[in-house]
Amino acid sequence: MDVSVIIPVYNNKEEFERSLYFLSKQQVRESLAYEVIVVDDGSTEPIRQIAKKYQSELPNLRYIYLERTPDSNRSRTRNTGIQASTGSKLLFLDCGILVPPNYVESVAGLLEGRPELVLLHYILGLFAEVDENEAEDILGLTPESFEQFCDKMKYTANWEDYRAVSFESVQNDLDQLPAPWVLGWSGALSTSRELVSRTDGFDESFREWGAEDIDFSYQLYRNGGSFQATEHIKTLHLPHEVTHNDENKMRSSLRNKFKIHQKNGDFDTELYPFCADMYYNQLMGKYNRLLTKYFTPTYSESLMNELNTRYLSNEEGRSLLVGSDSHSVIQTLQTTHVFLQNKSIYESYSQTFKDKNIVYALGINTFYEKRFFDVAIMTDYYRMSSLPMLLFMFKELLRISGKLVVIHTEDHHCFESGAGWLTWDQVTPFLRNYGFTFEKVEQSGRHSIMEITSSVSLQRMSTADLLTVYYMSL
């Protein structure tokens, strides 16, 4: 079999029937064999009967029923479809997605001979709230009028694919983005069986709403996937009533975003729970271009000597530097570990500083054990952060180190940072509100050396729970 179209479904019988109807009108050459795998995740509506109705028009349609259990989830449904399929090319579609008549033929052509390719198809109307006129247009939509309708609606506010500006910023060549995988919605995604076989499929531990498809896309990315948006292959999401509670969705999505990072543990995913998907490429692009040396002050030799003497004299201990890519600072400060976020600098310094552990991380969500480091030293770099980001960074650095030391240079301002430049008067009331305390232990010229501590209750709270508390307070 050349192509397998995999559709998970749970109720929504009207949307499901329209999806099958549009698939039944595919125009494909005789030599292209394709199948449709429908996996019913325990529907109470007559999904089986609808599938049976279309088997004459879709002779390679297979219907699989899964009993509804507490373990039922979207990942299990899609994995069942993958395992049952025989095609060399896998086209994932959600129930209620309509496709043009040339969909299977066009996607198969793009994937032919390119097993590494991951195609993200435009999805119009995913968040649409339709008026009466639009509802009538959708009811009257046919395979023959589909492309004309999509061309008409593509750039209307209600119907535009929310990812479109990201796609167009790189002319649909998503490999130019630092994190193309965050755009990988499985509602309309296609790739090869060969690439999928390099992953573990969809993670079935994602039982709650949200992010299981992003996790799958990240696995494709890590296993050599090359991402491309298909502006000329558009799909349409049939609007329907959403019954999920927004607060519950946010909480479960956050938990799943943290799970993605827990599985992978590098800087590519460290900030993902803290940033909306559509902003993530901009954020990662910023870090991958950032040279902190040009934003932080020049630190004197006397300050370096003071820090080495006061905190870094134990040759057997482990210590961490956060917030400097200055060659001289890294070389002079006797820390055993350095966190860097610019990937090019990280790769270069990993070869330069053989006597140090150069780590691709920010320090906001790490895998180090509690008090792994004796001390963590943070430069004025912290002042480039937003206050919420600083909250989570300080909490994590205090978890993984016995002592957190911050260098603060009050008379240094960097308005070119692009993210503001925090003053001490802005930082202290915000962080005190969450249980942090500050002590100035030394003045070295224009630089203050500050030690930061936090309350026991704050340290007992998980980062995921704290993030939820913070968002709920907004």
Side-chain angles (χ1 to χ4, degrees):
M1 192 68 66
D2 298 304
V3 173
S4 297
V5 181
I6 299 172
I7 305 176
V9 58
Y10 177 67
N11 293 327
N12 292 321
K13 63 181 181 180
E14 290 86 1
E15 290 84 0
F16 173 62
E17 180 158 12
R18 293 203 75 189
S19 291
L20 285 190
Y21 174 72
F22 275 71
L23 278 171
S24 73
K25 302 303 179 182
Q26 290 298 293
Q27 300 168 359
V28 298
R29 63 186 186 276
E30 288 186 8
S31 60
L32 180 66
Y34 76 99
E35 64 183 356
V36 177
I37 309 293
V38 173
V39 185
D40 183 348
D41 198 17
S43 295
T44 57
E45 298 178 6
I47 299 300
R48 182 192 300 271
Q49 291 87 331
I50 295 170
K52 186 175 181 179
K53 171 182 171 181
Y54 279 88
Q55 282 186 314
S56 60
E57 296 181 69
L58 293 166
N60 292 321
L61 186 151
R62 297 176 60 195
Y63 171 84
I64 301 169
Y65 181 82
L66 301 178
E67 291 287 344
R68 196 75 175 171
T69 72
D71 293 331
S72 293
N73 59 74
R74 302 178 185 195
S75 293
R76 184 186 73 155
T77 308
R78 293 191 181 104
N79 284 340
T80 300
I82 293 170
Q83 293 157 11
S85 67
T86 60
S88 60
K89 304 170 183 68
L90 304 180
L91 283 54
F92 296 97
L93 289 176
D94 276 356
C95 172
I97 296 286
L98 307 186
V99 298
N102 63 347
Y103 181 74
V104 171
E105 182 75 54
S106 298
V107 174
L110 288 174
L111 291 175
E112 188 63 39
R114 296 194 61 186
E116 80 289 350
L117 201 56
V118 180
L119 301 177
L120 308 185
H121 310 301
Y122 275 61
I123 306 175
L124 306 188
L126 190 58
F127 305 107
E129 297 179 4
V130 300
D131 58 29
E132 289 185 11
N133 291 332
E134 289 174 332
E136 288 182 11
D137 288 342
I138 294 167
L139 283 173
L141 193 61
T142 66
E144 292 74 25
S145 63
F146 181 85
E147 293 199 59
Q148 182 180 359
F149 179 82
C150 288
D151 288 340
K152 171 187 170 185
M153 306 304 288
K154 179 181 177 183
Y155 293 120
T156 59
N158 205 26
W159 289 87
E160 182 180 22
D161 188 318
Y162 203 58
R163 304 166 297 175
V165 68
S166 294
F167 293 165
E168 292 166 359
S169 70
V170 290
Q171 294 77 51
N172 298 312
D173 177 11
L174 305 183
D175 289 343
Q176 294 183 47
L177 298 173
W181 48 273
V182 301
L183 306 173
W185 300 345
S186 59
L189 179 152
S190 302
T191 190
S192 70
R193 177 179 296 278
E194 179 180 330
L195 182 58
V196 171
S197 68
R198 298 178 202 167
T199 75
D200 295 325
F202 288 86
D203 188 336
E204 296 183 24
S205 69
F206 285 73
R207 297 178 183 175
E208 300 179 290
W209 185 91
E212 83 287 341
D213 51 354
I214 304 301
D215 175 73
F216 178 66
S217 292
Y218 186 63
Q219 301 313 313
L220 295 175
Y221 172 78
R222 288 194 63 157
N223 283 278
S226 174
F227 284 67
Q228 178 179 316
T230 61
E231 184 174 8
H232 62 293
I233 304 176
K234 294 176 282 290
T235 68
L236 185 141
H237 174 268
L238 289 172
H240 58 85
E241 184 178 353
V242 177
T243 57
H244 300 290
N245 178 275
D246 284 346
E247 183 176 329
N248 288 338
K249 285 171 65 176
M250 189 194 78
R251 290 176 181 274
S252 66
S253 180
L254 275 176
R255 284 191 289 267
N256 285 344
K257 285 184 171 187
F258 273 102
K259 187 179 293 187
I260 290 175
H261 181 58
Q262 289 161 5
K263 288 174 57 179
N264 299 289
D266 56 28
F267 185 54
D268 282 342
T269 56
E270 185 178 2
L271 290 177
Y272 182 51
F274 301 89
C275 182
D277 290 17
M278 295 303 105
Y279 305 141
Y280 198 62
N281 275 290
Q282 297 176 63
L283 180 64
M284 293 302 292
K286 167 191 168 183
Y287 279 109
N288 279 326
R289 293 188 302 271
L290 182 64
L291 300 174
T292 61
K293 177 179 173 63
Y294 302 122
F295 298 105
T296 52
T298 299
Y299 295 119
S300 65
E301 185 176 345
S302 61
L303 173 65
M304 298 292 101
N305 290 338
E306 177 67 30
L307 292 169
N308 282 332
T309 301
R310 185 181 285 268
Y311 300 109
L312 305 173
S313 58
N314 180 7
E315 295 183 1
E316 301 300 319
R318 291 184 293 240
S319 50
L320 171 65
L321 171 64
V322 182
S324 180
D325 53 23
S326 165
H327 192 116
S328 63
V329 171
I330 294 174
Q331 180 173 273
T332 304
L333 269 186
Q334 297 166 6
T335 59
T336 59
H337 293 66
V338 180
F339 283 179
L340 294 173
Q341 300 82 50
N342 182 311
K343 187 174 286 188
S344 298
I345 296 293
Y346 157 71
E347 292 171 349
S348 174
Y349 283 9
S350 295
Q351 300 301 314
T352 302
F353 294 100
K354 298 291 189 181
D355 60 332
K356 294 179 182 283
N357 293 281
I358 307 297
V359 184
Y360 186 48
L362 177 61
I364 198 170
N365 191 13
T366 75
F367 288 86
Y368 291 97
E369 296 175 357
K370 185 177 180 181
R371 302 207 169 195
F372 180 86
F373 300 103
D374 298 315
V375 63
I377 298 176
M378 166 77 84
T379 71
D380 282 273
Y381 172 70
Y382 81 89
R383 299 170 67 186
M384 296 175 63
S385 299
S386 65
L387 287 170
M389 194 74 78
L390 195 58
L391 166 66
F392 300 113
M393 187 182 299
F394 277 11
K395 177 183 183 300
E396 177 67 359
L397 292 177
L398 280 166
R399 184 188 70 82
I400 64 176
S401 63
K403 182 171 290 186
L404 174 58
V405 175
V406 171
I407 306 170
H408 179 79
T409 311
E410 184 61 34
D411 64 355
H412 181 78
H413 300 279
C414 186
F415 299 108
E416 294 81 13
S417 67
W421 189 252
L422 297 174
T423 67
W424 195 246
D425 289 340
Q426 291 173 307
V427 170
T428 50
F430 177 80
L431 293 182
R432 280 195 180 117
N433 188 50
Y434 286 92
F436 289 93
T437 57
F438 313 86
E439 180 186 1
K440 180 178 175 180
V441 297
E442 186 67 41
Q443 185 74 32
S444 179
R446 56 196 285 248
H447 312 292
S448 301
I449 300 175
M450 317 290 292
E451 292 185 4
I452 315 295
T453 56
S454 69
S455 65
V456 173
S457 60
L458 177 67
Q459 285 304 313
R460 285 177 177 169
M461 185 181 293
S462 74
T463 302
D465 287 342
L466 179 59
L467 185 59
T468 302
V469 168
Y470 173 75
Y471 280 147
M472 290 291 100
S473 72
L474 297 180

